[in-house]
């Protein structure tokens, strides 16, 4: 049996786990991502967690195929560097692979976190048996992992799939990237909480916005319907561009459930370009709580698959 360490670096927390080649998680640890310290210090903390996990699982270096890291973009997988992701503003050209390889004598691989999650869903989740699909994560930010003809579409530096900056509705105003009406500006968990708070006149979490939606708050319902419309519009563009068998949606916002999935499915069935495309299924991710670390580990077991 072979094992790998999967690391999922996010804007608020970092998770690390020892994962078997069967997909079983032997042990997992989550720590806060401390934005007040230098990235090198944060990587050192993650490295200490990895060392502790390896020791606690009783594994030897020869049992491990490597360490896979999923991280938000922009990044450069060829150089093994994280380059200024919006939710990690101090992480500018951080050579994360090099820094971690100094601590461990096993291969270290870096991939966009949405791409890693797509690999996890292909391996063990909702995309098992599919050769063409798009995994969409709707969370703090929005991104996609694209699998075409059975292989991950990464792009030149690993940044393919940044659909959060697909323009869908300029009336929402200017995104931090400079464009007007980006999907992430409208439909990310961060944006839903922000817009919902403005509408209600009090500070709300994303969950509280959706609670008001379910309770029938008219103004919130109108806003959330626009969010679903934006996600549906983006999904139609993905269907028309990549001709997938399925759109798989994960991330915290997907936990709102049926209203989101039905809205996106309806959009595709009405507006996708051709009859077959209009039948593309929209399904929930199956590994929401662990897909980050499982997908990162999958980089070591089946890189590029």
């Amino acid at each position: 049996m072979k094992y790998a360490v999967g690391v999922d670096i996010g804007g608020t927390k970092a998770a690390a786990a020892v994962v078997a080649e069967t997909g079983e998680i032997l042990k997992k640890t989550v720590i806060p991502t401390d934005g007040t310290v230098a990235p090198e210090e944060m990587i050192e903390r993650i490295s200490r967690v990895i060392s502790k996990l390896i020791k606690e699982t009783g594994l030897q270096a020869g049992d491990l195929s490597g360490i896979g890291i999923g991280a938000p973009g922009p990044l450069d997988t060829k150089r093994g560097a994280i380059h200024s992701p919006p939710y990690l503003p101090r992480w500018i050209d951080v050579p994360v692979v090099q820094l971690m390889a100094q601590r461990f004598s096993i291969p270290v691989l870096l991939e966009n976190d949405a791409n890693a999650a797509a690999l996890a869903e292909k391996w063990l989740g909702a995309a098992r048996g599919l050769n063409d699909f798009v995994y969409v994560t709707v969370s703090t930010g929005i991104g996609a992992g694209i699998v075409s003809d059975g292989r991950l579409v990464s792009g030149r530096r690993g940044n393919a799939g940044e659909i959060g900056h697909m323009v869908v509705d300029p009336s929402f105003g200017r995104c931090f990237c400079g464009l007007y009406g980006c999907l992430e500006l409208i439909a990310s968990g961060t944006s839903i909480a922000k817009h919902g708070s403005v509408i209600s006149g009090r500070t709300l979490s994303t969950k509280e916005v959706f609670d008001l939606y379910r309770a029938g708050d008219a103004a919130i319902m109108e806003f959330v319907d626009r969010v679903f419309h934006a996600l549906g519009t983006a999904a139609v563009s993905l269907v028309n561009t990549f001709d997938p068998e399925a759109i798989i949606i994960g991330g915290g916002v997907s936990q709102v459930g049926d209203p989101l999935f039905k809205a996106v499915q309806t959009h595709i069935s009405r507006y996708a370009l051709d009859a077959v495309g209009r039948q593309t299924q929209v399904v929930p991710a199956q590994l929401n709580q662990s897909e980050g670390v499982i997908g990162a580990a999958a980089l070591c077991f089946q890189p590029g698959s």
Side-chain angles (χ1 to χ4, degrees):
M1 179 77 74
K2 280 290 186 179
Y3 304 89
V5 175
V7 178
D8 182 24
I9 299 175
T12 59
K13 61 183 183 296
V18 175
V19 181
E21 60 185 342
T22 59
E24 177 191 1
I25 293 178
L26 274 66
K27 195 171 183 63
K28 177 181 174 181
T29 300
V30 179
I31 62 173
T33 303
D34 189 346
T36 68
V37 302
E40 292 78 7
E41 169 59 24
M42 193 64 225
I43 293 167
E44 175 62 24
R45 293 180 188 180
I46 295 170
S47 297
R48 289 198 293 267
V49 166
I50 292 171
S51 297
K52 188 169 184 286
L53 286 171
I54 294 171
K55 182 178 180 180
E56 290 176 348
T57 52
L59 296 175
Q60 305 297 319
D63 298 319
L64 292 168
S65 298
I67 299 170
I69 304 169
L75 40 70
D76 189 332
T77 56
K78 305 296 188 295
R79 291 175 48 235
I82 297 175
H83 175 65
S84 63
Y87 302 105
L88 293 170
R90 297 186 65 178
W91 292 53
I92 300 173
D93 286 329
V94 179
V96 59
V97 168
Q98 177 186 339
L99 291 169
M100 202 162 281
Q102 292 172 358
R103 285 283 302 264
F104 302 97
S105 57
I106 52 178
V108 181
L109 302 170
L110 174 68
E111 186 56 84
N112 180 280
D113 51 4
N115 289 347
L119 286 181
E121 292 294 332
K122 184 177 186 295
W123 182 20
L124 298 169
R128 280 176 293 183
L130 301 183
N131 282 321
D132 294 89
F133 69 93
V134 180
Y135 166 83
V136 177
T137 179
V138 189
S139 189
T140 304
I142 296 178
I146 303 156
V147 172
S148 178
D149 199 21
R151 296 191 64 80
L152 190 66
V153 177
S154 295
R156 181 163 55 97
R157 293 178 298 123
N159 292 310
E162 288 287 358
I163 66 165
H165 298 282
M166 173 191 297
V167 173
V168 293
D169 188 347
S171 70
F172 269 85
R174 191 173 188 176
C175 179
F176 65 82
C177 75
L179 291 171
Y180 286 80
C182 290
L183 181 63
E184 189 168 299
L185 177 73
I186 303 164
S188 70
T190 306
S191 296
I192 290 169
K194 178 181 176 181
H195 290 300
S197 297
V198 171
I199 291 167
S200 68
R202 57 192 175 95
T203 302
L204 298 174
S205 66
T206 307
K207 179 182 180 301
E208 288 169 335
V209 172
F210 284 124
D211 287 344
L212 289 174
Y213 172 80
R214 293 189 187 94
D217 183 292
I220 291 293
M221 288 180 71
E222 180 181 354
F223 162 64
V224 172
D225 284 342
R226 293 182 71 190
V227 169
F228 292 163
H229 184 276
L231 289 168
T233 298
V236 169
S237 292
L238 292 172
V239 169
N240 290 343
T241 304
F242 296 105
D243 192 23
E245 299 165 85
I247 302 287
I248 297 166
I249 303 179
V253 172
S254 72
Q255 300 305 304
V256 70
D258 281 349
L260 184 154
F261 286 92
K262 287 179 179 177
V264 175
Q265 187 75 69
T266 297
H267 243 72
I268 289 173
S269 66
R270 288 178 180 171
Y271 303 118
L273 190 60
D274 68 273
V276 174
R278 291 193 288 272
Q279 297 173 30
T280 305
Q281 295 299 299
V282 180
V283 298
Q286 292 181 1
L287 303 172
N288 262 320
Q289 298 304 311
S290 299
E291 63 191 6
V293 292
I294 291 174
L299 298 172
C300 303
F301 296 130
Q302 38 190 348
S305 64

